[in-house]
Amino acid sequence: MMKRRNFIRTLGMGMIAAGVGVTGSATAENLFYSTKNKLPRWRGFNLLDYFSPYREAGGSVTTDQDLKWMADWGFDFVRLPIAYPRYIIFDPSKDITPDDVLHFDEKEIDNIRSLVERANDCGLHVSLNLHRAPGFCVNAGFNEPYNLWKDKEAQEAFYEHWSMWAKRFKDLSPREISFDLVNEPCLREDMNDQHSQRGPVPGQLYREVAQKSLNAIRQHNPQHLVIADGNNVGNDPVPEIFDLDIGQSCRGYYPHYISHYRAPWVWKNPDEAPKPVWPGTIDGKYFNRKTLEEFYAPWIDAVNKGVGVHCGECGCWKETPHEVFLAWFEDVLDILTQHGIGYALWNFRGDFGILDSGRKDVKYEDWYGHQLDRELLTLLKRY
């Protein structure tokens, strides 16, 4: 009997041969989703198995049961944010060096391949993302040997990593995998200070890095699907690459007062975070659905200009009052859905997730030993 993964691969290649490419939906039940958006309206979650650069950190481990539940609940997408130190060989007791960065660990790469295949077996598309790339991460806490946006050596290493991944997955179709170049690009004054001032990457520099990454990936499979996160920490579309065959990924975190209420990696003093409301005034500013529509207007304009757009991360950290979270999030999802833009909640199990989020104001439902946020799941399934 043909494995489901092989069926999906055959179906995907057949779509490409027919000239449909990646403009269809990722679900077998709705192959030709009608929208201007050139990317499918994928819906799903981020998987944090390889999010930390430290192997000993432990953290989330995605099970086959997790993947089955996602598929059973109607989702079709997972994003896999990866820290590159997880799949190279280096001495973790010392700072990583440029000589270490291309020393790939074949065993760990095989483990990542296995996770991709398990997700594909459940009918889930996988977006492979470098959350920490050679020379850059939006998060501090790890000493990089160089700067992706300043050093040619870092850029060359970046292209080598993407060439390696593209070659490793050269047999998979766009139905099964896409490559999300680097998470939330930005310039930061101090790479080791999480709260240092950030700004956008110069547009032409972003274009150069994206173009060369695309070339490195497509040399192994000309059908590989490539996505670039929005500039300025994922918030802004990148018009400098509108003409390239690259999709773009936005964020569902605006305003951060709601999505990251009291989050310690955002607030130097979480006790100073203003209490969120929706709609209403927070920190002297008024927010409602109209302000959300204004925020997403450039992304909707990108879709109308022929750019494929997907929301690669969204949701709220566990401290946001649940009632506020759900009211705000329904407006976010409704705006995205009206324009054929799919989404991925930041995690499945954990502080942003539908399972085991640890929220204090939720009446959880027991779900095979896990705590299920049924209200959030019901909202997601509506969109």
Side-chain angles (χ1 to χ4, degrees):
M1 181 176 180
M2 180 183 287
K3 287 182 109 179
R4 183 168 185 175
R5 178 170 68 250
N6 292 333
F7 167 75
I8 295 170
R9 181 179 303 131
T10 302
L11 175 64
M13 296 310 292
M15 296 283 284
I16 292 166
V20 178
V22 298
T23 58
S25 167
T27 61
E29 292 79 12
N30 183 15
L31 295 179
F32 300 97
Y33 186 86
S34 178
T35 174
K36 291 182 180 179
N37 195 347
K38 288 187 176 180
L39 284 180
R41 199 178 75 88
W42 292 310
R43 301 159 56 250
F45 307 89
N46 283 258
L47 306 182
L48 306 190
D49 301 53
Y50 295 92
F51 170 68
S52 170
Y54 302 104
R55 297 186 188 187
E56 64 274 14
S60 178
V61 176
T62 300
T63 67
D64 289 344
Q65 190 65 71
D66 290 333
L67 299 170
K68 182 179 184 300
W69 286 336
M70 293 176 201
D72 287 348
W73 282 329
F75 300 101
D76 55 16
F77 176 90
V78 291
R79 181 172 179 261
L80 188 57
I82 299 175
Y84 79 90
R86 291 291 294 275
Y87 61 83
I88 65 171
I89 298 171
F90 71 103
D91 184 348
S93 68
K94 301 177 182 178
D95 285 344
I96 202 167
T97 70
D99 290 337
D100 296 324
V101 169
L102 296 178
H103 194 187
F104 297 126
D105 185 337
E106 294 298 328
K107 181 179 178 181
E108 282 304 308
I109 290 169
D110 285 344
N111 289 337
I112 293 171
R113 167 92 192 200
S114 177
L115 177 55
V116 171
E117 290 183 345
R118 289 192 291 123
N120 287 164
D121 281 343
C122 290
L124 303 171
H125 175 93
V126 178
S127 181
L128 190 72
N129 163 251
L130 285 188
H131 189 277
R132 178 173 292 278
F136 175 77
C137 184
V138 71
N139 296 336
F142 186 89
N143 188 65
E144 286 296 330
Y146 35 36
N147 188 316
L148 176 62
W149 308 113
K150 295 181 179 180
D151 302 321
K152 290 297 182 182
E153 189 178 7
Q155 293 165 14
E156 292 301 323
F158 184 64
Y159 309 143
E160 284 292 324
H161 277 248
W162 276 121
S163 179
M164 180 276 293
W165 283 120
K167 183 178 181 181
R168 186 57 64 107
F169 290 108
K170 66 181 181 180
D171 57 317
L172 298 192
S173 78
R175 288 280 177 157
E176 296 166 292
I177 196 164
S178 57
F179 300 105
D180 182 353
L181 298 178
V182 61
N183 183 72
E184 298 178 359
C186 62
L187 297 182
R188 190 165 62 213
E189 291 181 355
D190 184 352
M191 285 290 292
N192 293 314
D193 180 2
Q194 185 66 26
H195 301 286
S196 66
Q197 187 173 356
R198 299 166 176 169
V201 177
Q204 288 306 310
L205 173 59
Y206 196 126
R207 179 185 174 87
E208 177 186 346
V209 173
Q211 175 76 77
K212 290 182 178 179
S213 301
L214 176 67
N215 295 343
I217 291 169
R218 290 276 177 82
Q219 69 178 333
H220 298 290
N221 182 337
Q223 301 295 341
H224 272 327
L225 175 57
V226 178
I227 295 172
D229 277 13
N231 206 342
N232 194 22
V233 200
N235 288 308
D236 303 333
V238 191
E240 291 83 0
I241 64 171
F242 277 6
D243 63 314
L244 301 181
D245 190 17
I246 297 178
Q248 296 198 29
S249 179
C250 65
R251 292 294 176 267
Y253 292 141
Y254 178 83
H256 76 284
Y257 297 109
I258 291 179
S259 62
H260 288 75
Y261 175 57
R262 294 184 56 83
W265 65 95
V266 173
W267 301 93
K268 286 185 177 180
N269 182 358
D271 290 337
E272 295 180 353
K275 189 172 182 180
V277 293
W278 189 261
T281 301
I282 312 172
D283 196 25
K285 307 176 186 70
Y286 186 76
F287 296 97
N288 60 5
R289 183 183 174 106
K290 182 180 179 181
T291 59
L292 275 180
E293 291 171 342
E294 292 170 351
F295 174 79
Y296 286 109
W299 289 101
I300 295 165
D301 182 60
V303 170
N304 291 332
K305 289 178 177 176
V307 178
V309 174
H310 182 261
C311 181
E313 294 183 20
C314 59
C316 275
W317 196 52
K318 64 182 180 180
E319 292 293 323
T320 303
H322 202 237
E323 183 177 279
V324 174
F325 168 30
L326 295 181
W328 163 82
F329 201 37
E330 179 152 21
D331 279 343
V332 172
L333 294 177
D334 191 54
I335 291 168
L336 295 176
T337 300
Q338 285 185 26
H339 300 279
I341 300 173
Y343 63 85
L345 200 67
W346 171 240
N347 55 12
F348 180 65
R349 284 189 283 112
D351 294 344
F352 282 72
I354 59 175
L355 292 176
D356 305 332
S357 62
R359 299 181 187 276
K360 298 175 182 177
D361 57 349
V362 172
K363 185 177 181 181
Y364 289 103
E365 174 183 327
D366 180 71
W367 184 263
Y368 299 95
H370 295 280
Q371 297 297 297
L372 171 63
D373 183 345
R374 176 64 72 174
E375 283 188 280
L376 178 55
L377 174 59
T378 299
L379 174 61
L380 293 174
K381 289 175 72 174
R382 283 208 303 270
Y383 292 93

